[in-house]
Amino acid sequence: MTKRKIYLPNALIQELADIVKTQAYTALMPVFSEVSCSGEEASSTEYLSLDLSDAKLLIRLADIEMSKAILKYPYNEDDDPQYDPLHEEQFDEIMMGVYEKTYYYLQSEFPALKEGA
Amino acid sequence: MKRKLEDSKYTVLTPNDLWKFYSSVVGIYRGGGNTQSPKLLRANGPRARDVTIVYDPEHEIDMVVPDSSKGLSFASNIEKLSKNPTISGHVWILPKGESLPEGLVFNVKDYTHPLLNVSRRMSLSEFTEKLVVLSSKLRPAQIKIEKGTGRIIEQIPGALKQAEAM
């Protein structure tokens, strides 16, 4: 498959790169091989070179992060008797952050992902 | 006026454009809320990842600058919130006809997924104030998206039908 330059906000690229590195996700290492995580370049990277299979792997990563958030912050809902505001804040950071945004930017460029990765 | 989305480009909808563009919906939805709030803001302010924030050294404050590729996510229908991805929590609606505070716009590349952002450079505190005003205009849709499954749960019987006909 042909790779294309896909826009993602720099902060999202940095977060994804950090997860790939710390979790040692070998399958995604090539995607971030040219992404600088430090120095001036780190703050300017706004494109990743991706094909559909790369995008599917990133969606898988986003799903894993969301699954972890569900397991780590179960008391995130204010109508739950065990509600914990800290759980809500942490859960939202993941859901409205790396999870939702990874889906959004990749689905915008790869419509096939809307049918399920 | 009927605006058309251009492939791979963002269309910027001003407060005047919004309901002309979304003329066939009853409102636009915000997922991930709780029972009290649509949570456009965190306890300590807007999420930095939603918008572009730069530091203004002259005034020593953070400024939010227009960026058509970013914004707070909304949805043109409830189903959009339920899967791929699942945005769990309570759904809130900005009913059609409600005005956007001056200085806010929606950036749209995907019709079903408008992004709320600023139309002009403004301080982070001004942006916060505008989000508070906008929050007060959103109404609970009485619908909750279940965590993990994406199941649409009506908080009161008929809520889904009511929200889509509001």
Side-chain angles (χ1 to χ4, degrees), chain B residues 27-43:
Chain B
I28 51 178
Y29 303 91
R30 169 73 177 176
N34 62 23
T35 62
Q36 303 299 312
S37 161
K39 293 198 285 188
L40 300 183
L41 294 153
R42 296 179 303 173

Side-chain angles (χ1 to χ4, degrees), chain B residues 100-117:
Chain B
L100 273 185
E102 179 280 328
L104 298 184
V105 289
F106 276 102
N107 302 314
V108 186
K109 186 175 179 184
D110 172 347
Y111 179 86
T112 65
H113 196 142
L115 301 173
L116 180 74
N117 209 313

Side-chain angles (χ1 to χ4, degrees), chain A residues 53-73:
Chain A
S53 63
D54 296 325
K56 285 181 177 179
L57 289 173
L58 286 169
I59 292 291
R60 188 180 292 270
L61 181 157
D63 287 338
I64 291 168
E65 290 301 301
M66 192 67 242
S67 294
K68 283 160 63 178
I70 290 171
L71 293 170
K72 286 168 82 173
Y73 312 113

Side-chain angles (χ1 to χ4, degrees), chain A residues 5-31:
Chain A
K5 285 182 83 176
I6 304 298
Y7 169 82
L8 290 94
N10 172 263
L12 180 59
I13 290 177
Q14 295 301 322
E15 187 172 1
L16 291 167
D18 188 54
I19 293 167
V20 167
K21 189 177 169 188
T22 56
Q23 297 298 316
Y25 290 153
T26 305
L28 279 164
M29 294 282 188
V31 169

Side-chain angles (χ1 to χ4, degrees), chain B residues 28-144:
Chain B
I28 51 178
Y29 303 91
R30 169 73 177 176
N34 62 23
T35 62
Q36 303 299 312
S37 161
K39 293 198 285 188
L40 300 183
L41 294 153
R42 296 179 303 173
N44 59 351
R47 287 188 181 84
R49 283 181 297 197
D50 284 333
V51 291
T52 298
I53 298 172
V54 297
Y55 182 67
D56 180 343
E58 189 182 342
H59 300 94
E60 298 183 338
I61 53 172
D62 285 329
M63 303 291 292
V64 183
V65 296
D67 184 337
S68 63
S69 65
K70 292 183 181 175
L72 286 80
S73 291
F74 282 69
S76 65
N77 62 73
I78 291 171
E79 286 71 26
K80 166 75 182 166
L81 297 168
S82 68
K83 59 181 179 181
N84 289 331
T86 297
I87 304 302
S88 64
H90 290 265
V91 178
W92 289 65
I93 181 171
L94 179 69
K96 185 158 80 174
E98 280 286 356
S99 57
L100 273 185
E102 179 280 328
L104 298 184
V105 289
F106 276 102
N107 302 314
V108 186
K109 186 175 179 184
D110 172 347
Y111 179 86
T112 65
H113 196 142
L115 301 173
L116 180 74
N117 209 313
V118 297
S119 61
R120 59 174 171 77
R121 191 180 169 97
M122 66 178 72
S123 68
L124 190 58
S125 62
E126 184 181 3
F127 180 53
T128 301
E129 287 168 16
K130 290 183 183 296
L131 291 182
V132 170
V133 171
L134 183 61
S135 294
S136 72
K137 293 170 183 266
L138 271 72
R139 301 282 173 262
Q142 304 295 348
I143 286 164
K144 186 177 176 183

